[in-house]
């Protein structure tokens, strides 16, 4: 999975522990959920942290839903489920890594 480097140039505040936005561990960094997308700090600015391409999560043994026990984060027009250090989104009968 490749993460696109798309700078978010008009980010008026700094995210952190008390910024009021949901923090999401994502690989080697932390994303912050903000207005339906995720931002991460990168080299003194904020980037959109969105996956490139379509990456199916093979071997996903259970279905996510309101009672699955995993934290959720709003992501565009859907909800991602957080577990095992990544985000999953339901897509066409399977789950994608986000």
């Amino acid at each position: 999975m490749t993460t696109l480097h798309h700078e978010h140039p008009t980010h008026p505040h700094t995210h952190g522990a008390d910024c009021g936005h949901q923090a999401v561990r994502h690989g080697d960094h932390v994303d912050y959920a903000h207005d339906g997308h995720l931002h991460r700090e990168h080299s003194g600015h904020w980037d959109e942290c969105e996956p490139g391409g379509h990456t199916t999560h093979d071997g996903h043994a259970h279905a996510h839903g309101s009672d699955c026990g995993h934290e959720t984060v709003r992501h565009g027009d859907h909800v991602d489920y957080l577990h095992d250090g990544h985000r999953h989104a339901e897509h066409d009968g399977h789950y994608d890594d986000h």
Side-chain angles (χ1 to χ4, degrees):
M1 173 172 44
T2 302
T3 301
L4 300 177
H5 184 115
H6 178 70
E7 188 173 338
H8 189 85
T10 58
H11 201 74
H13 69 276
T14 301
H15 290 294
D18 296 321
C19 73
H21 296 110
Q22 186 177 10
V24 178
R25 167 75 39 205
H26 187 207
D28 64 352
H29 62 274
V30 174
D31 293 335
Y32 291 91
H34 185 261
D35 297 334
H37 49 198
L38 290 109
H39 297 156
R40 74 178 195 139
E41 188 173 19
H42 176 252
S43 298
H45 62 269
W46 292 91
D47 286 343
E48 303 290 344
C49 193
E50 299 296 335
H54 176 227
T55 304
T56 301
H57 183 82
D58 294 324
H60 197 72
H62 69 277
H64 289 294
S66 60
D67 295 325
C68 73
H70 294 111
E71 187 177 1
T72 62
V73 62
R74 168 67 57 209
H75 184 206
D77 63 354
H78 62 275
V79 172
D80 287 347
Y81 294 88
L82 310 176
H83 72 88
D84 299 332
H86 49 229
R87 298 177 285 139
H88 293 155
E90 189 172 9
H91 176 249
D92 288 341
H94 63 270
Y95 286 91
D96 289 344
D97 278 330
H98 278 185

